[in-house]
Amino acid sequence: MRLEGASASHVGQARDNNQDRALYTGTLGAVADGMGGHVGGEKAAAMAIAEFNGVRGVLSEQRLIDVVQAANRRIYDAALQPLLRGMGTTIVVASFDPVEQVVTIVNVGDSRGYLLREGDFRQVTVDHSLVEDLIREGQITEEEARVHPQRNIVTRALGIMPEVEVDAFAVRVQAGDRLLLASDGLSNEVAPDGIASILVETTSSDDACRQLVDAALAGGGRDNVTVVVLDVVEDGAVVADASSAATLTPVGEHADNFLADIPRPSKRRLPLRSVLILLGVVVVLVGASAGTAWYARSGYFADELDGSVAIFRGRPGGVLWFKPTEEELTEIRVDELDGASRTRLEQRPVWSTLSDARDFVDNLDTSRLESTVVTATPGN
Ligand code: MG
């Protein structure tokens, strides 16, 4: 098997420069969506793509993550120049391993990787964005996210911090599979059903790219739009025919449980030191830093701290360089909670006020503790 692909990019109807970049090398596709200043956004996206343009051969998941992190470091260092200060970029990369017949997708930010298989269209990647967090918290729907005024705010990007956490997804592919990488200029303008229809109805990856860009422009084209379409084809085959697929199934769900052989994203935790050197870094992301700051500090949640339940201010996992801060440490020991309470704690619901978070903590059930506490009696 091999990949056959194409890419397309358009400035859109509203922006005056294109800060998206795309790459297709024959075994690898990538999309980067730059942000932060007129020069910086383009520069950051181009740097991220350049990092992959030079690599050859089959890339392991770890190697892909290493290349993304190298790009991050390079962009971060370049962003120390005044003219480029605050620049950053998303990245999504899909790399094909013909021996294992696996496509590995890595991502940072809200550029997406999708898979179309036999008419079933799913988003493989999980966005690192404000609206994705709001969807996860049940505050807005996917439809509302596409028109949300802060839909451009990403919670992770290359170039913002010296280290970055990269998600990775391995998809065991079969001939006929069609992969799509896209910047948010597509997903914010075209509903998932519309994207899926184009992927099903077009034959060549070239046509698919062109029609996807056209659909984004017809939808408003308020942002740069960039797509890479990758077809998995048998050696010798002319092109995958995704149009022979069965009926299209509803989309919108992430691919978490789509295929048994798509593992959960690999989490690469940030070294603690990266959190410590962020003060003083001035970053302006699409003019939204105030909104990001507000959002990042707007909630309260409970989590474990040194074995006890603590209340934190901020968002679980943090938003960009805004890390949650400890608000209150309680005397409740996590290992004394019953199973249901521990599960509720692990879900880390976010409350809008401190008193709501306190109520939540007060209602965690420590009855198991109370029933097993034995009054100590002085021994001899
Ligand atoms: Mg964009």
Side-chain angles (χ1 to χ4, degrees), residues 155-305:
T155 51
R156 249 191 254 175
L158 300 189
I160 306 302
M161 303 202 294
E163 306 285 341
V164 71
E165 189 179 335
V166 182
D167 287 351
F169 306 83
V171 181
R172 193 166 297 282
V173 290
Q174 58 193 48
D177 282 357
R178 173 167 267 187
L179 293 131
L180 167 67
L181 309 178
S183 65
D184 65 339
L186 177 71
S187 48
N188 286 332
E189 303 294 11
V190 188
D193 287 348
I195 298 173
S197 297
I198 291 170
L199 291 175
V200 167
E201 287 159 13
T202 50
T203 304
S204 77
S205 48
D206 248 341
D207 270 352
C209 286
R210 210 170 307 129
Q211 289 195 28
L212 288 167
V213 168
D214 286 348
L217 296 176
R222 285 162 289 186
D223 193 4
N224 309 146
V225 53
T226 299
V227 295
V228 172
V229 171
L230 304 169
D231 287 318
V232 180
V233 299
E234 291 289 7
D235 287 320
V238 179
V239 71
D241 188 2
S243 62
S244 65
T247 44
L248 197 60
T249 51
V251 291
E253 303 251 313
H254 289 309
D256 289 355
N257 44 24
F258 175 35
L259 297 170
D261 52 5
I262 297 182
R264 310 281 306 171
S266 323
K267 294 293 183 188
R268 311 287 152 167
R269 290 285 159 203
L270 286 175
L272 193 61
R273 68 185 168 85
S274 67
V275 178
L276 303 176
I277 53 180
L278 297 170
L279 286 176
V281 176
V282 180
V283 180
V284 179
L285 280 181
V286 286
S289 56
T292 306
W294 168 84
Y295 169 74
R297 302 290 296 151
S298 65
Y300 296 87
F301 66 96
D303 202 355
E304 178 174 349
L305 183 66

Side-chain angles (χ1 to χ4, degrees), residues 69-374:
Q69 288 178 334
N72 175 68
R73 187 74 217 198
R74 218 180 283 265
I75 297 164
Y76 177 81
D77 287 344
L80 299 175
Q81 299 172 47
L83 189 64
L84 300 175
R85 185 163 296 160
M87 73 174 177
T89 185
T90 71
I91 186 91
V92 59
V93 182
S95 175
F96 181 51
D97 179 339
V99 177
E100 297 295 327
Q101 305 197 335
V102 164
V103 168
T104 303
I105 302 178
V106 293
N107 77 302
V108 174
D110 64 357
S111 296
R112 294 177 173 179
Y114 298 92
L115 171 65
L116 176 74
R117 172 175 296 169
E118 293 169 355
D120 195 358
F121 178 64
R122 300 293 173 108
Q123 183 178 339
V124 176
T125 54
V126 178
D127 294 352
H128 308 128
S129 67
L130 184 152
V131 289
E132 176 69 26
D133 288 353
L134 295 178
I135 292 170
R136 203 178 306 126
E137 289 166 14
Q139 296 190 32
I140 60 171
T141 64
E142 300 218 4
E143 292 71 42
E144 287 165 344
R146 293 204 298 118
V147 294
H148 194 279
Q150 291 176 314
R151 63 185 176 276
N152 290 330
I153 296 180
V154 292
T155 51
R156 249 191 254 175
L158 300 189
I160 306 302
M161 303 202 294
E163 306 285 341
V164 71
E165 189 179 335
V166 182
D167 287 351
F169 306 83
V171 181
R172 193 166 297 282
V173 290
Q174 58 193 48
D177 282 357
R178 173 167 267 187
L179 293 131
L180 167 67
L181 309 178
S183 65
D184 65 339
L186 177 71
S187 48
N188 286 332
E189 303 294 11
V190 188
D193 287 348
I195 298 173
S197 297
I198 291 170
L199 291 175
V200 167
E201 287 159 13
T202 50
T203 304
S204 77
S205 48
D206 248 341
D207 270 352
C209 286
R210 210 170 307 129
Q211 289 195 28
L212 288 167
V213 168
D214 286 348
L217 296 176
R222 285 162 289 186
D223 193 4
N224 309 146
V225 53
T226 299
V227 295
V228 172
V229 171
L230 304 169
D231 287 318
V232 180
V233 299
E234 291 289 7
D235 287 320
V238 179
V239 71
D241 188 2
S243 62
S244 65
T247 44
L248 197 60
T249 51
V251 291
E253 303 251 313
H254 289 309
D256 289 355
N257 44 24
F258 175 35
L259 297 170
D261 52 5
I262 297 182
R264 310 281 306 171
S266 323
K267 294 293 183 188
R268 311 287 152 167
R269 290 285 159 203
L270 286 175
L272 193 61
R273 68 185 168 85
S274 67
V275 178
L276 303 176
I277 53 180
L278 297 170
L279 286 176
V281 176
V282 180
V283 180
V284 179
L285 280 181
V286 286
S289 56
T292 306
W294 168 84
Y295 169 74
R297 302 290 296 151
S298 65
Y300 296 87
F301 66 96
D303 202 355
E304 178 174 349
L305 183 66
D306 298 332
S308 295
V309 176
I311 297 175
F312 292 83
R313 183 173 177 193
R315 297 275 152 175
V319 178
L320 289 177
W321 58 95
F322 298 101
K323 297 297 159 190
T325 51
E326 183 191 336
E327 195 76 17
E328 288 179 0
L329 185 62
T330 73
E331 302 201 323
I332 302 170
R333 301 292 300 174
V334 173
D335 56 12
E336 290 164 353
L337 294 174
D338 69 358
S341 293
R342 210 178 292 190
T343 302
R344 282 160 62 211
L345 180 66
E346 282 164 4
Q347 286 166 345
R348 295 190 294 185
V350 178
W351 307 96
S352 50
T353 68
L354 180 57
S355 83
D356 286 347
R358 281 181 184 145
D359 288 347
F360 170 77
V361 168
D362 287 345
N363 286 320
L364 292 172
D365 191 358
T366 55
S367 56
R368 206 191 61 171
L369 165 71
E370 283 150 19
S371 64
T372 54
V373 164
V374 178

